[in-house]
Amino acid sequence: MASNMASPRHYYDNRVRTKSIEDVKLAQVMQVKSQERWDDGKPLSILALDPADRAVLKIADERDAIQKKTFTKWVNKHLAKHWHYVQRRTEVTDLFEGLRDGRNLISLLEVLSGELLPRERGRMRFHKLQNVQTVLDFLRFRGIKIVNIRPDDIVDGNPKLTLGLIWTIILHFQISDITVSGEQSLTSHDALLTWSQRTVAGYPGVKVNNFSESWRDGLAFAALLHRNRPDLLDFKELKSMPPRKRLHVAFTIAEQQFGVTKLLDPEDVDVARPDDKSLITYISSLYNVFPDIPPPQYSLQEAERQAKYDEYRELAHYIQRWNKEATAMMVDRNFPNALPDMKKLLQEFNKFKAEDIPQRLKDIRKLDILHKELDAMGPGNAGQYEVESELKFSVINRSWNRLMVYTQEREMSLHHEISRLERMQRLGDKVQRDMRQTTDRLDTIEKKLKEEETRMD
């Protein structure tokens, strides 16, 4: 006689199927509520659209909001290195408002490029337009393509075009140089994707196919960190965590151990389709810390720590010596009195600014990476890897910021002195012309007097 009792397996399958249906219904309810919140306060022209079209607009707005937050953090991270912001400790709170006068944009490019740019100090609209025009001209001069962005768009706080401009800057200064060993033909985007794929290869449940959904659950971030520093986190433990907690742990470790600014929050990533530009910006920051793909069984050896320590000290000594010599030269105001000599001095200064400063800036960035790596490794036995106070990165960075101020002041002094000597030369030329004319007139008068004396005799 057949039994009417369901088998344990059949009962389990029904429970799973019921739970899946409930999860789908819950997700649908949450999606409807989210759409209703977005619809609230929208104009009739938007509300009259088809629900599918409104859903597309909602997703676009959410992606723009995440980009705005990410790009704001990225901008502030770099502005914090500028001497002006180091002194005032200010930051951009609203990206669209904070970039309108162009001054923050100029400071951002000065930090990223190591060059000094002219800026208008006034607060009138034409001052703001000129500052933004300086930014756009500088980017074009460096071969960066700017499409359909005018100074008015940034000064007026246009959200789409402001985000587009910052993304263009990120692409050029942070992403364009990304490469993978043995893959020289790849674009920077594909190189970063290849680097990500190779770094997380072999980790169960981790597959990176893009810069969006592949990073949503946080496993790729955990694998990337574990591959380079297995001593910092337990991958199996992280795998058992909920996605947002896993993302929080990964972002926190990256920030505290390697100085990678937390550009993203877990709720920005744990969404149906995470914003690829925001993720690329953050992942490229991780690439800057771990550009080399470690072997599968890689672990940090004492010899590597010693090598990095020696490299750091040697580079730090060199930068400090160079900083002292350059500072002495920049504060020197014992200028020659001859105009040709002053112009030669200006040529030497321009060469220094165009060639020496960018190279030292690269050295400082390299030193910063070494500094963060050594910090992440720890002080070693009895602090044997502690550097002298004058070689600490914070001290060197302050010296560099002071040098940038002195460099700007020297440039102004050189131009002022050349202008003064040119005025003096013009005045001297005028005096000589007047003296020649006076001499000619006296010669003429003397000649006439002699002629008159001869006639009277």
Side-chain angles (χ1 to χ4, degrees), residues 92 94-101 104 156-157:
V92 173
D94 185 305
L95 190 70
F96 306 146
E97 289 296 320
L99 303 183
R100 288 180 61 182
D101 63 8
N104 284 325
D156 293 335

Side-chain angles (χ1 to χ4, degrees), residues 13 39 162 361 373:
D13 289 344
D39 289 342
T162 301
L361 186 61
E373 290 176 348

